[in-house]
Amino acid sequence: MKLISRIKKLLVPAALAIATTLASVPALAQEAPDVLVKRISQEVLETIKSDRELQAGNNRRVQELVEGKLLPYVDFKKTTSLVVGRFWRQATPEQQIQLIREFRNLLIHTYSGALSQVNDQRLEFLPLRADPADTEVVVRSQVVQARGEPVQVSYRLVKNADGWKIYDVNILGAWLIETYKSNFAAEVNKGGIEGLIETLAEKNRRLASSPAQTRKRAG
């Protein structure tokens, strides 16, 4: 997955809104998409800055953070189906569940290696360009750092029955779904859906058993 090493140090701002099993409060589910992304991004950023285990890349704490702050606002089925592309319809319902689980875990492991890099970043959000009737929007933001130019980060959201959900993230001009799509297709062409699932599962096993410092270098 060639782009991962390049963008790893910038994954934390993306993780602020993409990758939490707390029940969402009905009032919050009706938030405007840009307000939703800003709120959960700020909450996660503040949590990371105050938690030394997260800063050290503790995988268990990362998973707790993702499941406690993000997942209710992510349409992971849509994300995974778009990454798998035309092969998604070839997968059985059980295989689809496995693909969602393994892809989510892969992203969690990736984030756990990047969290220690959070320090003085802050987020700025651009005005939302959308019509009230839109059911899909793009929320644009930038990560401001002490050194270097601001990093542009965008989020794609879709409006479901229970509110807006994030399903894609763009960092440095590369959308998450497109970043993984060709690699997933290559794995399916080599070993079918089962081959892709096993490849993801094996990578997750390796990352889970690696120290946090090793995961920070993994791509």
Side-chain angles (χ1 to χ4, degrees):
M1 299 180 179
K2 298 179 181 178
L3 289 180
I4 300 305
S5 295
R6 179 185 167 210
I7 67 175
K8 182 164 292 284
K9 66 181 179 179
L10 301 173
L11 283 174
V12 173
L16 301 179
I18 193 171
T20 73
T21 55
L22 288 177
S24 64
V25 180
L28 297 181
Q30 303 307 313
E31 285 178 305
D34 54 336
V35 175
L36 171 68
V37 173
K38 182 176 182 179
R39 178 179 60 79
I40 61 178
S41 298
Q42 295 292 359
E43 287 178 0
V44 171
L45 187 60
E46 291 171 7
T47 300
I48 294 170
K49 288 183 176 181
S50 64
D51 191 315
R52 292 186 178 181
E53 289 190 60
L54 285 170
Q55 295 166 18
N58 182 300
N59 193 63
R60 177 185 58 80
R61 290 289 294 122
V62 174
Q63 187 160 348
E64 290 174 356
L65 176 67
V66 171
E67 292 183 347
K69 293 292 183 182
L70 296 173
L71 290 186
Y73 310 105
V74 178
D75 189 339
F76 236 105
K77 180 177 181 180
K78 183 176 180 68
T79 302
T80 308
S81 68
L82 290 173
V83 171
V84 177
R86 60 190 175 88
F87 302 108
W88 181 254
R89 285 180 289 182
Q90 299 176 17
T92 66
E94 181 180 6
Q95 288 173 326
Q96 290 178 353
I97 292 172
Q98 291 176 299
L99 286 167
I100 293 170
R101 181 180 64 244
E102 296 299 342
F103 186 42
R104 184 192 70 173
N105 289 341
L106 177 63
L107 294 179
I108 290 175
H109 289 311
T110 302
Y111 298 148
S112 71
L115 291 182
S116 61
Q117 299 179 41
V118 171
N119 42 64
D120 57 356
Q121 292 97 335
R122 60 186 176 85
L123 304 175
E124 294 181 352
F125 287 82
L126 306 180
L128 179 66
R129 302 180 209 165
D131 186 275
D134 288 343
T135 57
E136 292 202 27
V137 300
V138 175
V139 173
R140 296 175 174 84
S141 71
Q142 59 183 11
V143 181
V144 181
Q145 306 176 95
R147 298 180 181 179
E149 295 295 318
V151 177
Q152 305 303 312
V153 180
S154 299
Y155 309 85
R156 281 181 175 147
L157 294 89
V158 61
K159 191 172 187 180
N160 294 334
D162 55 346
W164 289 96
K165 304 286 185 181
I166 301 162
Y167 72 92
D168 202 2
V169 177
N170 184 308
I171 310 173
L172 295 177
W175 287 101
L176 177 76
I177 288 172
E178 290 302 318
T179 298
Y180 284 94
K181 194 169 185 177
S182 61
N183 293 283
F184 277 34
E187 292 296 335
V188 174
N189 286 328
K190 283 193 302 182
I193 295 295
E194 281 299 322
L196 172 59
I197 293 171
E198 181 52 37
T199 295
L200 293 174
E202 176 58 30
K203 187 172 183 65
N204 283 328
R205 285 191 290 269
R206 291 200 310 269
L207 291 172
S209 63
S210 300
Q213 293 301 315
T214 300
R215 289 198 300 272
K216 280 193 289 184
R217 297 190 296 271

